[in-house]
Amino acid sequence: MIFFRADGNSTIGLGHLMRCFAIASEMDKNIVCFLCADEQSADIVKSRGFKTCVLGAVAFSKKEALIVSEICQKEKERPTVVIDSYLVSKEYTGHVSKNAAVVCMDDIYAEYENVDGIINYNSYADSNNYHIEGVKLMTGAQYVPLRKEFRGHEELIRNNFEKILISTGGADPQNLAYKITDRLLNNEILKNKEIHIICGRMNQNRDELENLADKYINVSVHVDVKNMSQLMAECDIAVSAGGSTCYEMCAMGLPFIVFSFADNQRMLANDMGNRGGAIYAGHIGKDSDPVLNKIEESLLRIENDKNILRLMSMKGHEVVDGNGAGRLAKELLSI
């Protein structure tokens, strides 16, 4: 049995669940179960057709660890628990590891104990940064767990600059999608570009975004998108927050301007910029204007030199091949 311990809600977004879904989809659903802290997360899991169990305790508390350990103990064969959360502690893995193999998703080089494996699929990941023996390390962009829709796409070279995709995460608590769109609409050169806004189901600013779309004929809002790869293929460039979406855009050869608003996004956003598949616009703190200025300046530069799109598309497509979820599923089943 493979248990995935992950949550998704309006506070933490859906990233943890989404990457676990990608891996779980490569396995027989009969041997997969998601362990969630709350009903909101469990409902999302059910909508994807996976079995789920609501743990009924404070997330990643000692009480929850004991509940998870007890669930594992009931299995005929020793199961594997894949944990995807920044809240996991050494005490937690210590309890769970008594009755299961433990694998942790990581992107901050945390100091883990009582684990059998660590997954860090980031493009900047280096296994030499983990000073732990006897643990299976799955590091690097070859393990990026993308959904099947992002596999096997040939490099799409962009020659035009007419359609802009805006992706700011599942929750977007700072309403960045609106701020970016508003900035573009108030620029004389960019205001007539076709703007496509991705709005996650946890986005509490949906009404404001849809009002914007009602007001401007060139603005569209896409809610809870099911065909993301198709939308990416149709657009010429994206403006995106750092996160797994960056790897999806690389797989599609979609050039993008990336920014970070959470500390754990900085390394990836900066690395994407260094690799040439993206332009890094900086980190959003209390004042978002510096990043908004950089985004606007970058788009104006691309308007004057379309060759930038071609180069970014080529560089981004070199990073990800789209087969990481299958590689991870195989590794987890072997553990």
Side-chain angles (χ1 to χ4, degrees):
M1 193 73 175
I2 306 291
F3 291 104
F4 288 90
R5 175 63 192 94
D7 298 314
N9 51 52
S10 57
T11 301
I12 65 173
L14 298 178
H16 298 289
L17 279 178
M18 294 304 292
R19 57 189 181 186
C20 288
F21 288 154
I23 302 169
S25 295
E26 298 292 326
M27 302 175 177
D28 182 343
K29 285 189 175 183
N30 292 318
I31 65 166
V32 171
C33 180
F34 279 75
L35 306 176
C36 300
D38 55 82
E39 292 287 353
Q40 186 179 25
S41 299
D43 287 342
I44 297 171
V45 173
K46 292 174 186 176
S47 72
R48 299 283 174 153
F50 293 106
K51 291 183 290 186
T52 184
C53 174
V54 178
L55 298 172
V58 175
F60 294 97
S61 62
K62 179 180 179 180
K63 180 179 179 181
E64 185 196 274
L66 294 174
I67 293 173
V68 173
S69 184
E70 185 177 348
I71 291 173
C72 293
Q73 189 176 28
K74 295 178 181 178
E75 294 295 315
K76 293 181 180 179
E77 296 183 2
R78 187 176 177 85
T80 296
V81 178
V82 181
I83 302 174
D84 191 347
S85 174
Y86 295 112
L87 300 177
V88 65
S89 65
K90 297 174 183 178
E91 181 185 34
Y92 189 96
T93 55
H95 288 298
V96 177
S97 64
K98 293 177 181 177
N99 292 307
V102 177
V103 177
C104 288
M105 301 280 276
D106 178 58
D107 57 13
I108 57 175
Y109 298 119
E111 295 183 8
Y112 292 104
E113 291 183 5
N114 306 302
V115 298
D116 298 86
I118 295 173
I119 300 170
N120 185 339
Y121 59 77
N122 286 292
S123 56
Y124 57 80
D126 185 349
S127 59
N128 292 323
N129 289 331
Y130 290 100
H131 306 290
I132 182 170
E133 295 182 0
V135 173
K136 190 173 189 62
L137 298 175
M138 293 156 274
T139 59
Q142 64 174 320
Y143 290 112
V144 175
L146 299 183
R147 301 190 301 280
K148 293 180 180 179
E149 64 178 293
F150 294 102
R151 287 186 192 170
H153 290 276
E154 294 184 2
E155 185 179 332
L156 298 174
I157 299 299
R158 270 72 176 183
N159 295 308
N160 298 315
F161 175 32
E162 298 300 331
K163 298 181 180 181
I164 302 172
L165 182 69
I166 297 177
S167 174
T168 52
D172 194 9
Q174 298 186 46
N175 202 12
L176 296 171
Y178 181 91
K179 293 177 182 178
I180 294 168
T181 304
D182 183 65
R183 178 65 69 95
L184 301 183
L185 292 171
N186 282 285
N187 184 288
E188 284 300 315
I189 297 175
L190 301 172
K191 67 180 183 181
N192 293 319
K193 299 293 184 184
E194 197 172 311
I195 301 172
H196 295 269
I197 304 171
I198 303 298
C199 180
R201 69 169 67 183
M202 299 296 180
N203 194 321
Q204 298 179 358
N205 309 298
R206 177 176 172 178
D207 290 344
E208 194 171 4
L209 293 173
E210 291 183 333
N211 288 337
L212 200 62
D214 290 338
K215 185 177 179 181
Y216 295 92
I217 192 172
N218 60 316
V219 177
S220 300
V221 177
H222 305 266
V223 181
D224 200 17
V225 178
K226 296 294 190 295
N227 59 337
M228 185 67 78
S229 62
Q230 180 180 338
L231 190 56
M232 288 183 177
E234 293 172 352
C235 288
D236 302 311
I237 190 168
V239 179
S240 176
S244 58
T245 302
C246 293
Y247 295 116
E248 295 174 353
M249 292 184 290
C250 284
M252 297 300 300
L254 176 63
F256 59 103
I257 299 169
V258 64
F259 60 88
S260 55
F261 63 84
D263 288 339
N264 65 299
Q265 295 178 343
R266 289 196 194 209
M267 291 181 68
L268 173 58
N270 189 54
D271 188 61
M272 289 287 109
N274 290 337
R275 288 174 179 268
I279 296 172
Y280 181 38
H283 184 77
I284 290 182
K286 293 181 180 179
D287 182 8
S288 60
D289 280 343
V291 170
L292 294 174
N293 291 339
K294 178 69 173 179
I295 292 171
E296 188 175 11
E297 292 169 4
S298 298
L299 290 172
L300 289 172
R301 181 157 59 92
I302 291 169
E303 174 69 12
N304 292 323
D305 185 2
K306 306 297 191 304
N307 287 325
I308 296 174
L309 291 176
R310 177 184 293 271
L311 181 60
M312 291 171 66
S313 181
M314 292 171 58
K315 293 291 185 181
H317 201 263
E318 292 173 357
V319 178
V320 181
D321 67 3
N323 297 313
R327 292 189 184 99
L328 285 176
K330 185 177 180 179
E331 297 281 13
L332 293 172
L333 291 171
S334 70
I335 292 176

